[in-house]
Amino acid sequence: MRRLLAMLAARRGRGRLHWTDWASYLHLLLGLLVMFGPVLWLVLSSFKSEAGLIEFPPRLLPYEQARVSVQGYPQPLPVFRITAGDFKGRELAEVRRIGLQAQMLDPASPGEILRVPAQDRERVMRLHFALENYTDLAGRFSFGTYLWNSVFITVTATLITLLINSMAAFALSKYRFSGRDAIFVTILATLMIPPTIILVPNFFIASTLGLVNSPWGVIWPGVATPTGVFLLRQYMLTIPDELIDAARMDNASEWRIYWRIVLPLSAPALAVLAIFSVMWRWNEFLWPMIVLNKSETFTLQLALNSFQGELTTSWNYLLAMTVLTLLPVTAIFVLLQRYITQGIASAGVK
Amino acid sequence: MALAQRVLGAPRLPWVFLTPNLVVFGIFTFLPIAIDVYYSLTGGAQLLPADRPFVGAQNFRELFECESYLDPTSCKRDLFWFGIYNTAEFVVLQVGLMVVFSLITALVLNRKIIGRSFFRAVFFYPVLLSPVVVALIWKWILQRQGLLNAALDGAGLSTVNWLLDAHWAFGWTVFVSIWAHMGFYTLILLAGLQAIPRDVYEAAEMDSASPWRVFRRITLPLLAPNLAVVVVLALIRAVQIFDEVYVLTGGGPGSATTFMVQYVFQTAFSQQVRQYGLAAAASLLLASVLFGLTLLQLRSMRSKDR
């Protein structure tokens, strides 16, 4: 322990920890608790049974009353430890309870019914991960449909986003033509028109185009993004024009130059935009809520929202669904953290 | 495409590349602004603009019909005014606190500390979670028999029904949105801090300046452009707060956590009579605020690049 402290206290340059170092680590540990604790609590809770969830105060880990199967009884019987009286110290299974008396039996000799006062016993708890919260989802609540809707929208929208924004960026970075700067400024100006202020007209346009209750109604409005054009254009400007001139000498068509030369060379910027797009689409909420009204068209986010709004919410399923919804984003984060943080630090966008 | 090149000739080709993008922008961004203006000047519950009667500035007049602007309950559209006041209070509290927390965290993460990239990831992780997930995580903790009340109970304190008390519910919307977004701003500030040259600090160390003095005289002035970007971005987002609050509190209790965007959403989409005109008028007012903030953003970004 002392060595650990010595190691922690060791600092380059100075021998001992300055008060600012203590404050820093305190801040970080508190941060760890506040930022990550709630997510951990969600995951732990999602493995609790319905009975475990309503326990107050809650336990940290998913505990559940032990049950034992006894011949002659169709259901497994709950196990209690006897705390007083003749059977003190023994673990018995409850057959039924009548008022203050409980009829119990010893699983080892199931023929004999023992009578025990109800207050002389306590429940035997054991660790039990309620995996059924997850496995039940497959068959119930059309979870598969919501998952498919979310995946379809995310993947399709991201592919279209990459295609049309890189085409625009290519035109804006590799050609000189009159009106180019005006177009670029116009595209950037759409930053001033966030989706929240055009909800009503966009709903009208979506319904005119027959996109209400269709995944395409969610996909189309967001595929052209000023952020994407900006990010890709800045990157493509760094690709030397000599490469393109050389290809033109070889009689390559302009489309071929875009598709075979510029696009592959822009891979790092495309990757950043792809990650952003996946995050935007997977997490999108307000616009899908307006354009998707039938439950079979819901995305996971909409399903979670409508599910939590019901009066008789089964929190055990809701929590499991929430964990499954945050899983893909978490996986992307763990694998691609460096690209995400660099992308944000350089572009200043989310 | 090769055909297009032959027919149109190479000079017009950039426009072919631009077309898909511009068509989407045209249909779903620029056209809607015009329709939004038209909706705001018409009444009725019809969605089709041609069926809507022209009412002039009636919608705006209705929104501003108040006996006293200081008292939302005296207004005809009281929820609109509750939305404005709540949003104003939220923006000031959320942006102020979040920028301070982000700055402190960025300063800490910029030091020579053990496990720096791990801690950076911890602070950033909630940024990626969806608003619905964020709201459910906290709803589960703040519910009557949740973790927070269990901790209070264990410490011998009385429990609170956090999301059903107007003041607490508002406070929690501020806290939860800071929790969900501060990692993003921390990251931008951290990038700014790392761009400050080391030798400036070494010079200060030679003069054995106090940490506070170093912060005031070196860090803060050199970080100012990044801070400006962060403040403006945070303002733009805070004004549009909706998703996580809608799931967390539904705008309640009463109208304690009803914000501007939720007013627009409710007026247009979740009431018996869909008042598109009123909603469009309210969103144009919101747009004018955002327009001003975006001009600020572009200016702060330009000064940062300089």
Side-chain angles (χ1 to χ4, degrees), chain B residues 148-191:
Chain B
L148 186 62
N149 274 339
L152 288 180
D153 196 53
L157 301 166
S158 59
T159 63
V160 182
N161 214 340
W162 301 107
L163 296 175
L164 293 182
D165 173 281
H167 291 290
W168 280 115
F170 187 86
W172 282 110
T173 63
V174 174
F175 175 84
V176 169
S177 72
I178 292 176
W179 183 84
H181 300 296
M182 72 170 268
F184 172 68
Y185 301 98
T186 303
L187 210 60
I188 297 183
L189 291 176
L190 186 59

mmCIF file of all heavy atoms in Angstrom, chain B residues 148-191:
data_model
loop_
_atom_site.group_PDB
_atom_site.id
_atom_site.type_symbol
_atom_site.label_atom_id
_atom_site.label_comp_id
_atom_site.label_asym_id
_atom_site.label_seq_id
_atom_site.Cartn_x
_atom_site.Cartn_y
_atom_site.Cartn_z
ATOM 1 N N LEU B 148 -30.781 6.623 -5.911
ATOM 2 C CA LEU B 148 -30.498 7.856 -5.170
ATOM 3 C C LEU B 148 -31.282 7.893 -3.871
ATOM 4 O O LEU B 148 -30.730 8.197 -2.805
ATOM 5 C CB LEU B 148 -30.838 9.068 -6.042
ATOM 6 C CG LEU B 148 -30.455 10.411 -5.423
ATOM 7 C CD1 LEU B 148 -28.954 10.485 -5.208
ATOM 8 C CD2 LEU B 148 -30.916 11.543 -6.296
ATOM 9 N N ASN B 149 -32.575 7.551 -3.950
ATOM 10 C CA ASN B 149 -33.383 7.539 -2.734
ATOM 11 C C ASN B 149 -32.908 6.466 -1.763
ATOM 12 O O ASN B 149 -32.957 6.653 -0.555
ATOM 13 C CB ASN B 149 -34.854 7.339 -3.076
ATOM 14 C CG ASN B 149 -35.528 8.664 -3.401
ATOM 15 O OD1 ASN B 149 -35.035 9.720 -3.012
ATOM 16 N ND2 ASN B 149 -36.628 8.603 -4.116
ATOM 17 N N ALA B 150 -32.423 5.345 -2.298
ATOM 18 C CA ALA B 150 -31.902 4.290 -1.430
ATOM 19 C C ALA B 150 -30.679 4.807 -0.681
ATOM 20 O O ALA B 150 -30.514 4.549 0.519
ATOM 21 C CB ALA B 150 -31.543 3.054 -2.255
ATOM 22 N N ALA B 151 -29.817 5.556 -1.381
ATOM 23 C CA ALA B 151 -28.628 6.105 -0.740
ATOM 24 C C ALA B 151 -29.022 7.104 0.342
ATOM 25 O O ALA B 151 -28.478 7.086 1.446
ATOM 26 C CB ALA B 151 -27.735 6.772 -1.786
ATOM 27 N N LEU B 152 -30.000 7.968 0.036
ATOM 28 C CA LEU B 152 -30.461 8.943 1.030
ATOM 29 C C LEU B 152 -31.064 8.234 2.229
ATOM 30 O O LEU B 152 -30.807 8.581 3.376
ATOM 31 C CB LEU B 152 -31.508 9.876 0.404
ATOM 32 C CG LEU B 152 -30.992 10.902 -0.593
ATOM 33 C CD1 LEU B 152 -32.140 11.737 -1.129
ATOM 34 C CD2 LEU B 152 -29.954 11.791 0.057
ATOM 35 N N ASP B 153 -31.874 7.218 1.937
ATOM 36 C CA ASP B 153 -32.521 6.444 2.989
ATOM 37 C C ASP B 153 -31.465 5.785 3.879
ATOM 38 O O ASP B 153 -31.560 5.807 5.101
ATOM 39 C CB ASP B 153 -33.424 5.388 2.349
ATOM 40 C CG ASP B 153 -34.403 4.817 3.349
ATOM 41 O OD1 ASP B 153 -35.104 5.621 3.988
ATOM 42 O OD2 ASP B 153 -34.442 3.583 3.486
ATOM 43 N N GLY B 154 -30.438 5.213 3.224
ATOM 44 C CA GLY B 154 -29.377 4.553 3.970
ATOM 45 C C GLY B 154 -28.622 5.530 4.853
ATOM 46 O O GLY B 154 -28.142 5.170 5.929
ATOM 47 N N ALA B 155 -28.525 6.783 4.423
ATOM 48 C CA ALA B 155 -27.813 7.798 5.197
ATOM 49 C C ALA B 155 -28.729 8.446 6.229
ATOM 50 O O ALA B 155 -28.341 9.393 6.895
ATOM 51 C CB ALA B 155 -27.233 8.857 4.260
ATOM 52 N N GLY B 156 -29.972 7.945 6.338
ATOM 53 C CA GLY B 156 -30.900 8.453 7.334
ATOM 54 C C GLY B 156 -31.608 9.727 6.916
ATOM 55 O O GLY B 156 -32.218 10.399 7.739
ATOM 56 N N LEU B 157 -31.512 10.093 5.634
ATOM 57 C CA LEU B 157 -32.192 11.297 5.156
ATOM 58 C C LEU B 157 -33.544 10.926 4.563
ATOM 59 O O LEU B 157 -33.783 9.761 4.236
ATOM 60 C CB LEU B 157 -31.330 11.996 4.108
ATOM 61 C CG LEU B 157 -29.948 12.430 4.588
ATOM 62 C CD1 LEU B 157 -29.058 12.794 3.423
ATOM 63 C CD2 LEU B 157 -30.072 13.606 5.553
ATOM 64 N N SER B 158 -34.402 11.922 4.419
ATOM 65 C CA SER B 158 -35.709 11.618 3.846
ATOM 66 C C SER B 158 -35.610 11.572 2.321
ATOM 67 O O SER B 158 -34.807 12.282 1.715
ATOM 68 C CB SER B 158 -36.735 12.665 4.281
ATOM 69 O OG SER B 158 -36.306 13.933 3.856
ATOM 70 N N THR B 159 -36.424 10.724 1.718
ATOM 71 C CA THR B 159 -36.364 10.559 0.269
ATOM 72 C C THR B 159 -37.230 11.610 -0.415
ATOM 73 O O THR B 159 -38.101 12.207 0.197
ATOM 74 C CB THR B 159 -36.847 9.156 -0.132
ATOM 75 O OG1 THR B 159 -38.206 9.038 0.259
ATOM 76 C CG2 THR B 159 -36.011 8.077 0.524
ATOM 77 N N VAL B 160 -36.945 11.838 -1.698
ATOM 78 C CA VAL B 160 -37.660 12.854 -2.477
ATOM 79 C C VAL B 160 -38.174 12.199 -3.750
ATOM 80 O O VAL B 160 -37.499 11.350 -4.325
ATOM 81 C CB VAL B 160 -36.716 14.020 -2.852
ATOM 82 C CG1 VAL B 160 -37.474 15.091 -3.623
ATOM 83 C CG2 VAL B 160 -36.043 14.593 -1.628
ATOM 84 N N ASN B 161 -39.353 12.602 -4.176
ATOM 85 C CA ASN B 161 -39.859 12.123 -5.456
ATOM 86 C C ASN B 161 -39.358 13.076 -6.552
ATOM 87 O O ASN B 161 -40.053 13.982 -6.984
ATOM 88 C CB ASN B 161 -41.387 12.087 -5.423
ATOM 89 C CG ASN B 161 -41.908 10.937 -6.246
ATOM 90 O OD1 ASN B 161 -41.183 10.422 -7.108
ATOM 91 N ND2 ASN B 161 -43.127 10.534 -5.995
ATOM 92 N N TRP B 162 -38.108 12.829 -6.957
ATOM 93 C CA TRP B 162 -37.336 13.819 -7.712
ATOM 94 C C TRP B 162 -38.056 14.381 -8.928
ATOM 95 O O TRP B 162 -38.032 15.582 -9.164
ATOM 96 C CB TRP B 162 -36.013 13.205 -8.178
ATOM 97 C CG TRP B 162 -35.179 12.716 -7.051
ATOM 98 C CD1 TRP B 162 -34.942 11.427 -6.696
ATOM 99 C CD2 TRP B 162 -34.470 13.524 -6.090
ATOM 100 N NE1 TRP B 162 -34.140 11.369 -5.582
ATOM 101 C CE2 TRP B 162 -33.835 12.632 -5.191
ATOM 102 C CE3 TRP B 162 -34.315 14.891 -5.907
ATOM 103 C CZ2 TRP B 162 -33.053 13.077 -4.133
ATOM 104 C CZ3 TRP B 162 -33.537 15.330 -4.852
ATOM 105 C CH2 TRP B 162 -32.922 14.430 -3.981
ATOM 106 N N LEU B 163 -38.653 13.513 -9.727
ATOM 107 C CA LEU B 163 -39.181 13.983 -11.005
ATOM 108 C C LEU B 163 -40.618 14.476 -10.895
ATOM 109 O O LEU B 163 -41.213 14.910 -11.870
ATOM 110 C CB LEU B 163 -39.067 12.880 -12.063
ATOM 111 C CG LEU B 163 -37.615 12.487 -12.371
ATOM 112 C CD1 LEU B 163 -37.555 11.317 -13.325
ATOM 113 C CD2 LEU B 163 -36.838 13.668 -12.929
ATOM 114 N N LEU B 164 -41.201 14.392 -9.702
ATOM 115 C CA LEU B 164 -42.570 14.876 -9.541
ATOM 116 C C LEU B 164 -42.618 16.179 -8.757
ATOM 117 O O LEU B 164 -43.684 16.724 -8.489
ATOM 118 C CB LEU B 164 -43.436 13.815 -8.850
ATOM 119 C CG LEU B 164 -43.671 12.563 -9.693
ATOM 120 C CD1 LEU B 164 -44.564 11.580 -8.959
ATOM 121 C CD2 LEU B 164 -44.286 12.931 -11.030
ATOM 122 N N ASP B 165 -41.440 16.690 -8.370
ATOM 123 C CA ASP B 165 -41.356 17.976 -7.704
ATOM 124 C C ASP B 165 -40.832 18.985 -8.712
ATOM 125 O O ASP B 165 -39.795 18.768 -9.339
ATOM 126 C CB ASP B 165 -40.406 17.866 -6.505
ATOM 127 C CG ASP B 165 -40.137 19.211 -5.861
ATOM 128 O OD1 ASP B 165 -39.312 19.990 -6.398
ATOM 129 O OD2 ASP B 165 -40.770 19.498 -4.835
ATOM 130 N N ALA B 166 -41.570 20.093 -8.911
ATOM 131 C CA ALA B 166 -41.249 21.019 -10.007
ATOM 132 C C ALA B 166 -39.794 21.493 -9.966
ATOM 133 O O ALA B 166 -39.093 21.463 -10.977
ATOM 134 C CB ALA B 166 -42.197 22.210 -9.977
ATOM 135 N N HIS B 167 -39.331 21.916 -8.783
ATOM 136 C CA HIS B 167 -37.979 22.476 -8.722
ATOM 137 C C HIS B 167 -36.913 21.421 -8.951
ATOM 138 O O HIS B 167 -35.949 21.623 -9.687
ATOM 139 C CB HIS B 167 -37.754 23.165 -7.381
ATOM 140 C CG HIS B 167 -38.557 24.404 -7.236
ATOM 141 N ND1 HIS B 167 -38.285 25.530 -7.967
ATOM 142 C CD2 HIS B 167 -39.647 24.682 -6.493
ATOM 143 C CE1 HIS B 167 -39.173 26.464 -7.664
ATOM 144 N NE2 HIS B 167 -40.017 25.970 -6.782
ATOM 145 N N TRP B 168 -37.095 20.278 -8.285
ATOM 146 C CA TRP B 168 -36.117 19.203 -8.473
ATOM 147 C C TRP B 168 -36.102 18.716 -9.915
ATOM 148 O O TRP B 168 -35.042 18.481 -10.493
ATOM 149 C CB TRP B 168 -36.407 18.028 -7.531
ATOM 150 C CG TRP B 168 -35.907 18.255 -6.140
ATOM 151 C CD1 TRP B 168 -36.655 18.375 -5.013
ATOM 152 C CD2 TRP B 168 -34.542 18.397 -5.737
ATOM 153 N NE1 TRP B 168 -35.855 18.591 -3.932
ATOM 154 C CE2 TRP B 168 -34.545 18.603 -4.340
ATOM 155 C CE3 TRP B 168 -33.317 18.378 -6.411
ATOM 156 C CZ2 TRP B 168 -33.378 18.776 -3.603
ATOM 157 C CZ3 TRP B 168 -32.149 18.556 -5.684
ATOM 158 C CH2 TRP B 168 -32.179 18.755 -4.297
ATOM 159 N N ALA B 169 -37.290 18.564 -10.503
ATOM 160 C CA ALA B 169 -37.342 18.049 -11.879
ATOM 161 C C ALA B 169 -36.586 18.978 -12.817
ATOM 162 O O ALA B 169 -35.802 18.526 -13.662
ATOM 163 C CB ALA B 169 -38.795 17.911 -12.337
ATOM 164 N N PHE B 170 -36.772 20.288 -12.635
ATOM 165 C CA PHE B 170 -36.051 21.241 -13.484
ATOM 166 C C PHE B 170 -34.545 21.112 -13.270
ATOM 167 O O PHE B 170 -33.760 21.044 -14.227
ATOM 168 C CB PHE B 170 -36.503 22.670 -13.177
ATOM 169 C CG PHE B 170 -35.936 23.685 -14.120
ATOM 170 C CD1 PHE B 170 -36.565 23.960 -15.313
ATOM 171 C CD2 PHE B 170 -34.754 24.348 -13.816
ATOM 172 C CE1 PHE B 170 -36.030 24.888 -16.196
ATOM 173 C CE2 PHE B 170 -34.213 25.268 -14.694
ATOM 174 C CZ PHE B 170 -34.845 25.542 -15.886
ATOM 175 N N GLY B 171 -34.147 21.046 -11.996
ATOM 176 C CA GLY B 171 -32.723 20.893 -11.690
ATOM 177 C C GLY B 171 -32.140 19.643 -12.330
ATOM 178 O O GLY B 171 -31.027 19.667 -12.875
ATOM 179 N N TRP B 172 -32.909 18.565 -12.316
ATOM 180 C CA TRP B 172 -32.388 17.326 -12.892
ATOM 181 C C TRP B 172 -32.290 17.391 -14.405
ATOM 182 O O TRP B 172 -31.412 16.784 -14.997
ATOM 183 C CB TRP B 172 -33.224 16.119 -12.449
ATOM 184 C CG TRP B 172 -32.882 15.693 -11.060
ATOM 185 C CD1 TRP B 172 -33.662 15.814 -9.945
ATOM 186 C CD2 TRP B 172 -31.650 15.103 -10.620
ATOM 187 N NE1 TRP B 172 -32.995 15.334 -8.842
ATOM 188 C CE2 TRP B 172 -31.766 14.891 -9.227
ATOM 189 C CE3 TRP B 172 -30.467 14.744 -11.256
ATOM 190 C CZ2 TRP B 172 -30.730 14.338 -8.465
ATOM 191 C CZ3 TRP B 172 -29.439 14.186 -10.504
ATOM 192 C CH2 TRP B 172 -29.571 13.992 -9.130
ATOM 193 N N THR B 173 -33.193 18.121 -15.065
ATOM 194 C CA THR B 173 -33.037 18.239 -16.521
ATOM 195 C C THR B 173 -31.729 18.966 -16.841
ATOM 196 O O THR B 173 -31.027 18.603 -17.781
ATOM 197 C CB THR B 173 -34.207 19.007 -17.179
ATOM 198 O OG1 THR B 173 -34.230 20.331 -16.679
ATOM 199 C CG2 THR B 173 -35.529 18.339 -16.948
ATOM 200 N N VAL B 174 -31.402 19.977 -16.030
ATOM 201 C CA VAL B 174 -30.129 20.681 -16.233
ATOM 202 C C VAL B 174 -28.968 19.712 -16.011
ATOM 203 O O VAL B 174 -28.065 19.584 -16.849
ATOM 204 C CB VAL B 174 -30.013 21.891 -15.278
ATOM 205 C CG1 VAL B 174 -28.633 22.530 -15.388
ATOM 206 C CG2 VAL B 174 -31.095 22.912 -15.582
ATOM 207 N N PHE B 175 -29.028 18.995 -14.889
ATOM 208 C CA PHE B 175 -27.932 18.085 -14.566
ATOM 209 C C PHE B 175 -27.768 17.004 -15.634
ATOM 210 O O PHE B 175 -26.654 16.742 -16.105
ATOM 211 C CB PHE B 175 -28.188 17.430 -13.201
ATOM 212 C CG PHE B 175 -27.158 16.388 -12.855
ATOM 213 C CD1 PHE B 175 -25.955 16.748 -12.285
ATOM 214 C CD2 PHE B 175 -27.392 15.045 -13.138
ATOM 215 C CE1 PHE B 175 -24.997 15.801 -11.995
ATOM 216 C CE2 PHE B 175 -26.436 14.084 -12.857
ATOM 217 C CZ PHE B 175 -25.237 14.464 -12.283
ATOM 218 N N VAL B 176 -28.875 16.378 -16.007
ATOM 219 C CA VAL B 176 -28.776 15.261 -16.950
ATOM 220 C C VAL B 176 -28.245 15.736 -18.300
ATOM 221 O O VAL B 176 -27.428 15.058 -18.929
ATOM 222 C CB VAL B 176 -30.147 14.556 -17.108
ATOM 223 C CG1 VAL B 176 -30.124 13.574 -18.271
ATOM 224 C CG2 VAL B 176 -30.506 13.831 -15.819
ATOM 225 N N SER B 177 -28.664 16.923 -18.739
ATOM 226 C CA SER B 177 -28.166 17.363 -20.047
ATOM 227 C C SER B 177 -26.689 17.763 -19.955
ATOM 228 O O SER B 177 -25.950 17.604 -20.927
ATOM 229 C CB SER B 177 -29.027 18.488 -20.607
ATOM 230 O OG SER B 177 -28.785 19.656 -19.896
ATOM 231 N N ILE B 178 -26.257 18.256 -18.809
ATOM 232 C CA ILE B 178 -24.812 18.499 -18.638
ATOM 233 C C ILE B 178 -24.068 17.170 -18.675
ATOM 234 O O ILE B 178 -23.056 17.013 -19.355
ATOM 235 C CB ILE B 178 -24.532 19.233 -17.306
ATOM 236 C CG1 ILE B 178 -25.072 20.647 -17.359
ATOM 237 C CG2 ILE B 178 -23.033 19.256 -17.019
ATOM 238 C CD1 ILE B 178 -24.915 21.413 -16.064
ATOM 239 N N TRP B 179 -24.595 16.195 -17.946
ATOM 240 C CA TRP B 179 -23.981 14.861 -17.887
ATOM 241 C C TRP B 179 -23.809 14.297 -19.296
ATOM 242 O O TRP B 179 -22.779 13.725 -19.635
ATOM 243 C CB TRP B 179 -24.871 13.949 -17.046
ATOM 244 C CG TRP B 179 -24.348 12.570 -16.835
ATOM 245 C CD1 TRP B 179 -23.458 12.171 -15.882
ATOM 246 C CD2 TRP B 179 -24.696 11.383 -17.580
ATOM 247 N NE1 TRP B 179 -23.221 10.830 -16.002
ATOM 248 C CE2 TRP B 179 -23.965 10.314 -17.028
ATOM 249 C CE3 TRP B 179 -25.547 11.123 -18.659
ATOM 250 C CZ2 TRP B 179 -24.062 9.014 -17.508
ATOM 251 C CZ3 TRP B 179 -25.637 9.827 -19.138
ATOM 252 C CH2 TRP B 179 -24.904 8.789 -18.565
ATOM 253 N N ALA B 180 -24.835 14.476 -20.114
ATOM 254 C CA ALA B 180 -24.822 13.843 -21.428
ATOM 255 C C ALA B 180 -23.914 14.565 -22.419
ATOM 256 O O ALA B 180 -23.432 13.949 -23.361
ATOM 257 C CB ALA B 180 -26.245 13.769 -21.979
ATOM 258 N N HIS B 181 -23.693 15.867 -22.248
ATOM 259 C CA HIS B 181 -23.004 16.613 -23.306
ATOM 260 C C HIS B 181 -21.644 17.160 -22.935
ATOM 261 O O HIS B 181 -20.904 17.587 -23.808
ATOM 262 C CB HIS B 181 -23.889 17.766 -23.784
ATOM 263 C CG HIS B 181 -25.199 17.303 -24.346
ATOM 264 N ND1 HIS B 181 -25.279 16.527 -25.471
ATOM 265 C CD2 HIS B 181 -26.468 17.459 -23.913
ATOM 266 C CE1 HIS B 181 -26.550 16.246 -25.717
ATOM 267 N NE2 HIS B 181 -27.283 16.783 -24.786
ATOM 268 N N MET B 182 -21.300 17.186 -21.639
ATOM 269 C CA MET B 182 -20.072 17.903 -21.283
ATOM 270 C C MET B 182 -18.822 17.261 -21.877
ATOM 271 O O MET B 182 -17.842 17.955 -22.156
ATOM 272 C CB MET B 182 -19.940 18.079 -19.774
ATOM 273 C CG MET B 182 -19.610 16.828 -19.001
ATOM 274 S SD MET B 182 -19.195 17.244 -17.291
ATOM 275 C CE MET B 182 -17.432 17.413 -17.423
ATOM 276 N N GLY B 183 -18.840 15.962 -22.132
ATOM 277 C CA GLY B 183 -17.663 15.303 -22.691
ATOM 278 C C GLY B 183 -17.260 15.881 -24.034
ATOM 279 O O GLY B 183 -16.073 16.016 -24.343
ATOM 280 N N PHE B 184 -18.255 16.266 -24.811
ATOM 281 C CA PHE B 184 -18.007 16.857 -26.129
ATOM 282 C C PHE B 184 -17.222 18.161 -26.004
ATOM 283 O O PHE B 184 -16.210 18.374 -26.667
ATOM 284 C CB PHE B 184 -19.353 17.086 -26.813
ATOM 285 C CG PHE B 184 -19.292 17.852 -28.095
ATOM 286 C CD1 PHE B 184 -18.696 17.303 -29.214
ATOM 287 C CD2 PHE B 184 -19.828 19.121 -28.169
ATOM 288 C CE1 PHE B 184 -18.649 18.009 -30.399
ATOM 289 C CE2 PHE B 184 -19.784 19.827 -29.350
ATOM 290 C CZ PHE B 184 -19.183 19.279 -30.467
ATOM 291 N N TYR B 185 -17.682 19.032 -25.084
ATOM 292 C CA TYR B 185 -17.036 20.328 -24.923
ATOM 293 C C TYR B 185 -15.672 20.171 -24.245
ATOM 294 O O TYR B 185 -14.737 20.911 -24.550
ATOM 295 C CB TYR B 185 -17.956 21.270 -24.148
ATOM 296 C CG TYR B 185 -19.267 21.441 -24.870
ATOM 297 C CD1 TYR B 185 -20.397 20.710 -24.522
ATOM 298 C CD2 TYR B 185 -19.346 22.284 -25.973
ATOM 299 C CE1 TYR B 185 -21.570 20.833 -25.223
ATOM 300 C CE2 TYR B 185 -20.517 22.409 -26.684
ATOM 301 C CZ TYR B 185 -21.629 21.688 -26.307
ATOM 302 O OH TYR B 185 -22.782 21.794 -27.027
ATOM 303 N N THR B 186 -15.590 19.191 -23.341
ATOM 304 C CA THR B 186 -14.302 18.909 -22.714
ATOM 305 C C THR B 186 -13.254 18.580 -23.779
ATOM 306 O O THR B 186 -12.115 19.049 -23.724
ATOM 307 C CB THR B 186 -14.445 17.718 -21.747
ATOM 308 O OG1 THR B 186 -15.454 18.021 -20.791
ATOM 309 C CG2 THR B 186 -13.138 17.433 -21.034
ATOM 310 N N LEU B 187 -13.680 17.800 -24.753
ATOM 311 C CA LEU B 187 -12.768 17.372 -25.806
ATOM 312 C C LEU B 187 -12.265 18.558 -26.625
ATOM 313 O O LEU B 187 -11.070 18.670 -26.930
ATOM 314 C CB LEU B 187 -13.509 16.400 -26.711
ATOM 315 C CG LEU B 187 -12.679 15.334 -27.379
ATOM 316 C CD1 LEU B 187 -12.007 14.476 -26.351
ATOM 317 C CD2 LEU B 187 -13.564 14.500 -28.279
ATOM 318 N N ILE B 188 -13.170 19.475 -26.972
ATOM 319 C CA ILE B 188 -12.762 20.653 -27.757
ATOM 320 C C ILE B 188 -11.799 21.517 -26.945
ATOM 321 O O ILE B 188 -10.774 21.978 -27.451
ATOM 322 C CB ILE B 188 -14.000 21.483 -28.162
ATOM 323 C CG1 ILE B 188 -14.907 20.652 -29.067
ATOM 324 C CG2 ILE B 188 -13.581 22.753 -28.892
ATOM 325 C CD1 ILE B 188 -16.104 21.410 -29.565
ATOM 326 N N LEU B 189 -12.124 21.702 -25.649
ATOM 327 C CA LEU B 189 -11.251 22.524 -24.808
ATOM 328 C C LEU B 189 -9.897 21.849 -24.608
ATOM 329 O O LEU B 189 -8.854 22.509 -24.582
ATOM 330 C CB LEU B 189 -11.923 22.795 -23.462
ATOM 331 C CG LEU B 189 -13.134 23.723 -23.523
ATOM 332 C CD1 LEU B 189 -13.783 23.850 -22.162
ATOM 333 C CD2 LEU B 189 -12.708 25.101 -24.038
ATOM 334 N N LEU B 190 -9.928 20.515 -24.482
ATOM 335 C CA LEU B 190 -8.672 19.781 -24.301
ATOM 336 C C LEU B 190 -7.778 19.954 -25.528
ATOM 337 O O LEU B 190 -6.566 20.177 -25.403
ATOM 338 C CB LEU B 190 -8.977 18.305 -24.062
ATOM 339 C CG LEU B 190 -7.796 17.406 -23.702
ATOM 340 C CD1 LEU B 190 -7.117 17.902 -22.444
ATOM 341 C CD2 LEU B 190 -8.262 15.976 -23.512
ATOM 342 N N ALA B 191 -8.393 19.890 -26.719
ATOM 343 C CA ALA B 191 -7.612 20.100 -27.942
ATOM 344 C C ALA B 191 -7.009 21.503 -27.939
ATOM 345 O O ALA B 191 -5.850 21.699 -28.335
ATOM 346 C CB ALA B 191 -8.500 19.905 -29.174
#
